[in-house]
Amino acid sequence: MGERIGIVWNPIKVDEDELRDAVTAVFPADFEVLWWATTREDPGRIVAGEAVTGGCDVLIAVGGDGTVRVVAEAVAGTDTALGIVPRGTGNLLARNLGIPLGDLTAALERIRDREEEQRLDLGWVALGDEADAVEQAFTVMIGFGLDAQMLAETDEELKAKAGWLAYVQALGRAAAATELVDTAIALDDEEPEEVRVHTMLIGNCGTIQAGITLLPDAVPDDGRLDVLLVSAEGFAGWVDTARSVLWDNGLRRLISGAEDAVSTDSATHASAERIRVVLREPQPFEIDGEEAGEASSFTVRVQPGAVRVR
């Protein structure tokens, strides 16, 4: 008897007939396949919970990063494995894990054949005061500043037509709107440190679109979260930041085989298991590449080995 497979799919991201044909072709007849579609009212959180409770051996997220995130949240700490069929714009977790992009059959075959199954840490963020905040999971990265502002500036209609290239148009507007903000940051049991930054990224994986690595030390199963603080100001500061990302922690690191991320005056790297941040002014916030409103404070922790990914 084959496994019980649950599929949580986003109708906006994938054609149902195409998906059902691919599933039928890939999984043998003795596999039990159950289906749940996401809706505007439930982007997947409720149905994913139902699938886990219903005893699915594997729960496959078919959609963008948002669908993957809520399914990962549902299977965290359970015996249900996570399968990923990337059909979004960013597909950030799939990129970091080497999952085939743009090929339904190849992604499904990887899940069926249990290729490169691994344990994945999961990050959790609580926006607002710790006492009444609700935690949300993230699989790749969260933060505020340039990336979150860029998401807020991105035209959704253009994004639907041009994919991630739509973000390029928004980059200039976002950079103009992003200013240094007074921030208190506490890593693990350390005392809070006062810094002025315009961008803060916290992640479990480090690579984004176009193969750019923002968190070069990030490892998805090391039980830690990596942090990037950017305080660039003026032309010289942005040149310093670009050199840090593209050269020091990019090409030169690849050539030399360096092990540790290089910090500069404008781009600082760190890591921790727990992080507490308080901002003097609320800032647009993003979770795994999706807008999450504004935040004036947040707490982050890592859940080691929370999800088994196929």
Side-chain angles (χ1 to χ4, degrees):
M1 181 66 183
E3 295 179 306
R4 174 175 287 184
I5 305 293
I7 296 180
V8 176
W9 62 288
N10 185 339
I12 297 176
K13 300 293 186 179
V14 62
D15 177 75
E16 181 177 2
D17 291 337
E18 180 186 6
L19 177 59
R20 287 185 179 270
D21 288 345
V23 169
T24 300
V26 169
F27 290 101
D30 62 340
F31 278 66
E32 181 183 5
V33 181
L34 305 175
W35 295 80
W36 288 271
T38 66
T39 63
R40 183 180 298 274
E41 293 74 23
D42 175 26
R45 184 168 285 106
I46 295 175
V47 293
E50 293 175 355
V52 172
T53 303
C56 286
D57 299 296
V58 185
L59 193 53
I60 303 175
V62 186
D65 292 310
T67 304
V68 173
R69 179 167 66 88
V70 296
V71 173
E73 183 175 302
V75 303
T78 74
D79 293 329
T80 302
L82 170 67
I84 301 171
V85 177
R87 300 295 284 183
T89 302
N91 303 311
L92 297 179
L93 183 58
R95 293 176 189 275
N96 280 272
L97 297 182
I99 295 172
L101 304 178
D103 189 332
L104 277 174
T105 300
L108 290 168
E109 288 176 342
R110 174 189 172 105
I111 297 167
R112 180 199 63 195
D113 299 338
R114 304 189 182 195
E115 295 180 8
E116 302 179 30
E117 185 171 297
Q118 67 180 101
R119 281 284 177 180
L120 176 73
D121 299 337
L122 198 63
W124 292 88
V125 57
L127 302 180
D129 296 332
E130 293 182 75
D132 55 6
V134 176
E135 283 191 314
Q136 301 178 66
F138 64 94
T139 62
V140 182
M141 65 181 70
I142 60 171
F144 66 86
L146 186 58
D147 63 323
Q149 191 70 250
M150 185 172 65
L151 289 170
E153 294 284 350
T154 301
D155 182 275
E156 290 299 318
E157 183 176 347
L158 180 61
K159 178 180 172 182
K161 295 178 180 178
W164 71 270
L165 291 174
Y167 295 128
V168 175
Q169 184 198 56
L171 184 59
R173 295 197 301 271
T178 304
E179 299 179 351
L180 291 170
V181 58
D182 292 322
T183 310
I185 302 172
L187 303 180
D188 292 328
D189 297 324
E190 298 177 5
E191 291 297 315
E193 181 179 352
E194 299 285 342
V195 295
R196 283 176 57 79
V197 299
H198 64 65
T199 296
M200 179 178 191
L201 294 175
I202 301 171
N204 190 43
C205 301
T207 301
I208 59 172
Q209 292 97 327
I212 296 174
T213 300
L214 298 177
L215 301 170
D217 285 348
V219 178
D221 59 357
D222 64 352
R224 298 185 68 81
L225 296 170
D226 287 75
V227 181
L228 171 63
L229 301 175
V230 180
S231 57
E233 190 172 19
F235 179 76
W238 282 109
V239 170
D240 182 65
T241 300
R243 187 188 71 236
S244 172
V245 172
L246 300 177
W247 174 245
D248 292 336
N249 295 299
L251 184 59
R252 187 169 75 175
R253 178 187 173 106
L254 183 64
I255 295 172
S256 66
E259 295 183 356
D260 298 322
V262 176
S263 293
T264 68
D265 291 340
S266 300
T268 304
H269 292 269
S271 71
E273 296 177 12
R274 302 180 311 281
I275 303 157
R276 174 65 180 165
V277 179
V278 179
L279 304 166
R280 177 168 292 182
E281 300 175 2
Q283 296 294 311
F285 199 82
E286 63 93 1
I287 300 177
D288 280 355
E290 295 191 332
E291 292 180 72
E294 290 192 336
S296 55
S297 63
F298 57 94
T299 303
V300 185
R301 67 178 177 91
V302 64
Q303 182 183 1
V307 179
R308 183 162 52 91
V309 183
R310 289 193 182 177

